[in-house]
Amino acid sequence: VDLGKAKADPKGSLAERVAFAQQAKEAEFRQSFMVTAAEASEVKSLASKAKSGEGYDFSKLPAESAERLDALYKSINAKVGFAVPDHAAKPIPLTSDAAANKYIEEV
Protein backbone atom coordinates (compact mmCIF):
# COMPACT_ATOMS: atom_id res chain seq x y z
CA VAL A 1 0.00 0.00 0.00
CA ASP A 2 1.40 3.40 -0.98
CA LEU A 3 0.67 5.42 2.15
CA GLY A 4 1.26 8.68 0.31
CA LYS A 5 -1.57 7.97 -2.10
CA ALA A 6 -3.83 5.80 0.03
CA LYS A 7 -7.11 7.19 1.29
CA ALA A 8 -6.39 8.81 4.65
CA ASP A 9 -9.08 8.44 7.28
CA PRO A 10 -8.40 8.72 11.03
CA LYS A 11 -11.42 6.47 11.74
CA GLY A 12 -11.10 4.12 8.77
CA SER A 13 -9.44 0.76 8.30
CA LEU A 14 -5.96 0.07 9.63
CA ALA A 15 -4.37 1.02 6.30
CA GLU A 16 -6.40 4.26 6.16
CA ARG A 17 -5.42 5.19 9.74
CA VAL A 18 -1.75 4.50 9.02
CA ALA A 19 -2.00 6.53 5.80
CA PHE A 20 -3.63 9.38 7.75
CA ALA A 21 -0.82 9.36 10.34
CA GLN A 22 1.89 9.16 7.67
CA GLN A 23 0.41 11.94 5.56
CA ALA A 24 0.01 14.15 8.66
CA LYS A 25 3.69 13.60 9.53
CA GLU A 26 4.75 14.44 5.98
CA ALA A 27 2.64 17.60 5.98
CA GLU A 28 4.14 18.66 9.31
CA PHE A 29 7.65 17.99 7.96
CA ARG A 30 6.99 20.06 4.84
CA GLN A 31 5.59 22.92 6.94
CA SER A 32 8.50 22.79 9.39
CA PHE A 33 11.47 22.31 7.07
CA MET A 34 10.46 23.52 3.61
CA VAL A 35 9.72 27.02 2.39
CA THR A 36 6.04 27.17 1.51
CA ALA A 37 4.70 28.73 -1.65
CA ALA A 38 2.86 31.28 0.51
CA GLU A 39 6.12 32.33 2.24
CA ALA A 40 7.96 32.65 -1.07
CA SER A 41 5.11 34.68 -2.56
CA GLU A 42 5.00 36.98 0.46
CA VAL A 43 8.76 37.59 0.33
CA LYS A 44 8.53 38.31 -3.39
CA SER A 45 5.66 40.73 -2.83
CA LEU A 46 7.41 42.58 0.00
CA ALA A 47 10.72 42.71 -1.87
CA SER A 48 9.02 44.14 -4.96
CA LYS A 49 7.94 47.12 -2.84
CA ALA A 50 11.60 47.80 -2.00
CA LYS A 51 12.86 47.53 -5.60
CA SER A 52 15.04 50.50 -6.47
CA GLY A 53 16.67 50.47 -9.89
CA GLU A 54 18.84 47.36 -10.18
CA GLY A 55 18.86 46.75 -6.42
CA TYR A 56 16.68 47.06 -3.37
CA ASP A 57 16.21 49.83 -0.82
CA PHE A 58 14.56 48.20 2.17
CA SER A 59 14.37 51.53 3.98
CA LYS A 60 11.50 52.34 1.57
CA LEU A 61 9.31 49.70 3.21
CA PRO A 62 6.75 50.76 5.81
CA ALA A 63 7.71 49.62 9.34
CA GLU A 64 5.06 46.89 9.38
CA SER A 65 6.27 45.44 6.07
CA ALA A 66 9.90 45.61 7.16
CA GLU A 67 9.07 43.76 10.38
CA ARG A 68 7.15 41.10 8.44
CA LEU A 69 10.06 40.68 6.00
CA ASP A 70 12.46 40.27 8.94
CA ALA A 71 10.14 37.67 10.50
CA LEU A 72 9.98 35.77 7.20
CA TYR A 73 13.78 35.94 6.87
CA LYS A 74 14.21 34.42 10.33
CA SER A 75 11.54 31.78 9.74
CA ILE A 76 12.92 30.71 6.37
CA ASN A 77 16.50 30.61 7.63
CA ALA A 78 15.38 28.50 10.59
CA LYS A 79 13.91 26.02 8.10
CA VAL A 80 16.72 25.82 5.57
CA GLY A 81 19.79 26.92 7.52
CA PHE A 82 21.33 30.18 8.47
CA ALA A 83 23.35 32.40 6.19
CA VAL A 84 26.97 32.46 7.29
CA PRO A 85 28.53 35.91 7.08
CA ASP A 86 31.89 36.16 5.38
CA HIS A 87 34.17 36.69 8.38
CA ALA A 88 37.85 35.98 8.42
CA ALA A 89 39.15 34.05 11.40
CA LYS A 90 41.40 36.08 13.67
CA PRO A 91 44.25 34.60 15.68
CA ILE A 92 43.65 34.29 19.41
CA PRO A 93 46.16 36.41 21.32
CA LEU A 94 48.47 34.60 23.71
CA THR A 95 48.14 35.12 27.46
CA SER A 96 50.48 34.98 30.45
CA ASP A 97 49.20 31.47 31.28
CA ALA A 98 51.44 28.80 29.73
CA ALA A 99 48.69 26.12 29.82
CA ALA A 100 46.24 28.44 28.12
CA ASN A 101 48.82 29.35 25.48
CA LYS A 102 49.37 25.66 24.74
CA TYR A 103 45.62 25.28 24.13
CA ILE A 104 45.50 28.46 22.01
CA GLU A 105 48.29 27.14 19.81
CA GLU A 106 46.29 23.94 19.22
CA VAL A 107 43.18 25.73 18.03
Side-chain angles (χ1 to χ4, degrees):
V1 175
D2 183 355
L3 296 176
K5 296 179 182 177
K7 177 183 172 196
D9 183 356
K11 298 184 190 276
S13 68
L14 177 61
E16 291 171 338
R17 291 190 313 257
V18 171
F20 176 80
Q22 181 65 30
Q23 290 173 17
K25 285 181 182 181
E26 287 179 12
E28 180 185 6
F29 178 85
R30 284 192 302 274
Q31 184 67 30
S32 297
F33 298 105
M34 298 177 142
V35 178
T36 65
E39 289 170 324
S41 176
E42 191 173 0
V43 168
K44 190 174 183 178
S45 172
L46 290 169
S48 71
K49 295 175 186 174
K51 185 76 171 155
S52 179
E54 293 295 315
Y56 295 90
D57 181 3
F58 293 101
S59 66
K60 291 171 44 175
L61 288 176
E64 185 177 298
S65 295
E67 287 174 13
R68 179 62 185 146
L69 189 60
D70 286 343
L72 285 165
Y73 176 81
K74 290 175 186 172
S75 171
I76 290 170
N77 277 327
K79 289 180 178 187
V80 299
F82 291 92
V84 178
D86 187 21
H87 292 292
K90 297 177 184 175
I92 301 170
L94 296 177
T95 68
S96 59
D97 184 345
N101 288 342
K102 184 176 179 183
Y103 175 76
I104 290 171
E105 291 170 359
E106 293 290 323
V107 294

